[in-house]
Amino acid sequence: EKIAAIVLAAGEGKRMGSGIPKQYMLIKSRPLVYYALKAFEESTVDEVILVTGEDEIDYCKEYIVDRYHFNKVTKIVPGGWERYASVYFGLEAIEDADYVLIHDGARPMINAELVQKCIYYVKKYRACVVGMPSKDTIKVVDEENYAVRTPERKTLWQVQTPQCFEFDLVKKSYEKMMENDDGKATDDAMVVETYGNVPVKLFEGGYDNIKVTTPEDVRLATNLVRVRKIFHKL
Ligand code: CTP
Ligand code: MG
């Protein structure tokens, strides 16, 4: 059975507000997206599609894929105007696969072990995503940030990536979404929940599987990567 992965690195990083897109910021001398690609390279995934900005393709090929010998990266394709569009173009670039794992290039704490867990669960559930139970109470607010309601905490999970699906299921779901042109999906599960017919299972990744989003996260990720390196040497 063929397992593909899509690594997303086509965002602009507006909330980071640095000069370069955050996925290329250096964390311990390596571009942020290196860490996700490395995890997939060390896993049993067969093929990786890297989705980047159109102007970043040459840079990614020379300075990331070739330089670090990421041999599983078969294609580097341009992304789109929103995350869901980048995913859609990534899916289109896959010629054939049984399963696909969709991962944010801005989540460096993924490792081969988590990838293997994803493969195990997707074979079992057909549609599943990594997340963690919310530690904080979450409020729904109005436009002026007044609390509207408080959903029961134990029903709330924070969703992470990888988000993992049978390839045909997620591809067809995305195609339907693009036809309907509703650009509201902020994750892939939402697309399958709306347009697919398979329930999406959540399973635990780890609280350290952060998405580098704002400047504080760069410091946090640097420390997490450093600590992980030390542990690996023990
Ligand atoms: N992404 C993408 N294509 C887009 C938007 C986002 O491939 N059009 C990717 C990002 O590169 C990132 C992941 O999707 O790896 C999660 O998105 P997010 O954290 O929102 O990144 P950005 O969109 O770059 O950041 P911001 O929303 O602050 O602009
Ligand atoms: Mg974004």
Side-chain angles (χ1 to χ4, degrees):
E1 281 177 323
K2 189 180 159 192
I3 318 275
I6 294 172
V7 173
L8 297 167
E12 292 173 57
K14 291 193 205 88
R15 286 170 289 179
M16 183 64 71
S18 68
I20 54 164
K22 64 188 182 185
Q23 56 271 27
Y24 308 118
M25 291 173 77
L26 297 185
I27 302 276
K28 289 199 45 84
S29 327
R30 306 243 155 110
L32 175 60
V33 68
Y34 159 91
Y35 295 95
L37 292 169
K38 176 87 175 158
F40 286 109
E41 191 71 26
E42 289 175 348
S43 75
T44 62
V45 157
D46 296 293
E47 172 185 41
V48 177
I49 307 290
L50 176 60
V51 185
T52 74
E54 192 141 29
D55 302 335
E56 299 153 8
I57 292 177
D58 292 341
Y59 164 79
C60 284
K61 186 178 182 325
E62 188 173 344
Y63 290 100
I64 301 177
V65 174
D66 290 352
R67 174 158 184 202
Y68 297 108
H69 309 290
F70 290 137
N71 299 321
K72 290 189 178 174
V73 177
T74 55
K75 286 180 190 163
I76 307 175
V77 302
W81 51 97
E82 282 286 348
R83 184 185 181 282
Y84 72 87
S86 296
V87 174
Y88 178 71
F89 295 134
L91 289 169
E92 288 224 294
I94 298 173
E95 271 151 43
D96 71 297
D98 296 293
Y99 299 99
V100 59
L101 316 184
I102 303 168
H103 186 66
D104 293 333
R107 289 186 194 270
M109 294 308 290
I110 186 173
N111 54 23
E113 197 186 329
L114 180 57
V115 176
Q116 295 312 126
K117 195 169 168 182
C118 289
I119 294 171
Y120 171 80
Y121 277 108
V122 76
K123 287 184 177 178
K124 185 163 171 182
Y125 292 108
R126 305 173 64 198
C128 59
V129 306
V130 171
M132 288 304 281
S134 182
K135 291 184 189 178
D136 294 322
T137 294
I138 306 279
K139 300 243 179 231
V140 178
V141 297
D142 67 13
E143 309 81 67
E144 283 157 346
N145 293 347
Y146 286 103
V148 176
R149 59 198 175 81
T150 311
E152 201 184 345
R153 195 185 61 209
K154 71 165 190 266
T155 68
L156 298 171
W157 276 51
Q158 290 178 267
V159 173
Q160 307 171 344
T161 70
Q163 304 213 350
C164 321
F165 308 94
E166 276 181 359
F167 179 67
D168 290 340
L169 170 69
V170 68
K171 177 98 193 270
K172 287 199 180 100
S173 300
Y174 262 88
E175 279 166 357
K176 280 190 204 149
M177 182 192 65
M178 296 302 272
E179 276 167 30
N180 286 285
D181 200 34
D182 76 1
K184 287 196 279 285
T186 50
D187 78 339
D188 313 301
M190 248 175 105
V191 180
V192 172
E193 287 160 46
T194 310
Y195 296 103
N197 54 357
V198 175
V200 179
K201 175 82 170 175
L202 275 75
F203 65 97
E204 292 197 2
Y207 285 111
D208 63 358
N209 184 24
I210 60 163
K211 181 159 66 65
V212 175
T213 307
T214 58
E216 307 79 77
D217 298 326
V218 177
R219 250 165 290 146
L220 186 57
T222 305
N223 286 329
L224 289 170
V225 167
R226 187 177 292 138
V227 168
R228 187 174 63 181
K229 270 216 171 112
I230 294 166
F231 269 105
H232 268 280
K233 284 194 190 123
L234 292 177

